[in-house]
Amino acid sequence: MEMIKPILVVSYEFIQQILFALPRYRLLGWFKAKFLVLNGATIGRRCTFYPGVWIAPGRGLLLGDDVDLALGVLVSTGGGVEIGDRTLIGYRAQIISTNHHIPKQHGRIFGAGHDKAKVTIGPDVWIGGNSLVMPGVTIGEGAVVAGGSVVTKDVPAFSIVGGVPARVIKNREI
């Protein structure tokens, strides 16, 4: 019984690696979406998965309609990830909902477990390439995250944030 979980994890990773290496044709996107649904995700209509997208473990993911995940996007869904309709996730962006637990004092990190916190991204959001969204963050509707940013705190709706750590640069003009 102890050997079954590692075999299942490696099998999931193997199948995902092959499937998500395929081009972003709509028919292949349908297969990619069905694979994620079989693993516990909820996937909206017309989502685009560029090659190299990595989503693990799959369960806890909710994608709205018309979500676009660009080349090399990584999403860890163990803490839950919800992405609203018409959202663009740029090249090599990372959305992390789990992280290693750091034990107090001199406790060992290896084997200390994980901390999980849901990431919520509203509709009509653009997350620029090479950005990192950390566990527990909520990004409001219509927000823009500049490329290369590290988002560690909530982002207000219709704002533009950037930097490390990301800060509000300005609000989108009305």
Side-chain angles (χ1 to χ4, degrees):
M1 190 67 165
E2 189 175 307
M3 291 298 295
I4 291 182
K5 184 177 179 185
I7 290 170
L8 291 175
V9 169
V10 172
S11 297
Y12 172 90
E13 292 171 346
F14 177 72
I15 293 167
Q16 179 177 251
Q17 183 115 26
I18 292 169
L19 186 59
F20 281 80
L22 298 171
R24 61 183 173 108
Y25 295 120
R26 186 160 310 272
L27 176 62
L28 296 176
W30 182 86
F31 284 107
K32 294 172 187 181
K34 292 304 174 201
F35 172 76
L36 292 170
V37 168
L38 285 172
N39 286 285
T42 301
I43 308 296
R45 296 171 299 170
R46 299 175 306 278
C47 290
T48 302
F49 303 94
Y50 281 66
V53 168
W54 186 264
I55 299 170
R59 70 183 174 279
L61 175 66
L62 191 156
L63 292 183
D65 296 337
D66 302 305
V67 172
D68 189 294
L69 302 173
L71 184 79
V73 167
L74 181 145
V75 184
S76 82
T77 64
V81 174
E82 183 176 329
I83 301 175
D85 297 340
R86 300 169 308 281
T87 291
L88 306 173
I89 311 294
Y91 300 111
R92 292 175 301 283
Q94 298 180 43
I95 300 167
I96 309 296
S97 67
T98 59
N99 212 344
H100 290 281
H101 177 74
I102 301 173
K104 294 182 187 220
Q105 298 181 345
H106 299 285
R108 292 188 178 175
I109 292 174
F110 190 89
H114 295 87
D115 296 326
K116 301 176 181 183
K118 183 177 181 180
V119 173
T120 303
I121 300 171
D124 294 308
V125 169
W126 175 20
I127 299 194
N130 289 310
S131 294
L132 176 60
V133 178
M134 297 301 289
V137 168
T138 296
I139 299 176
E141 177 181 359
V144 176
V145 175
S149 298
V150 177
V151 183
T152 59
K153 295 187 179 356
D154 291 351
V155 174
F158 301 103
S159 64
I160 300 172
V161 301
V164 180
R167 300 187 194 293
V168 174
I169 296 170
K170 66 180 185 174
N171 291 317
R172 289 178 53 192
E173 294 181 24
I174 297 174

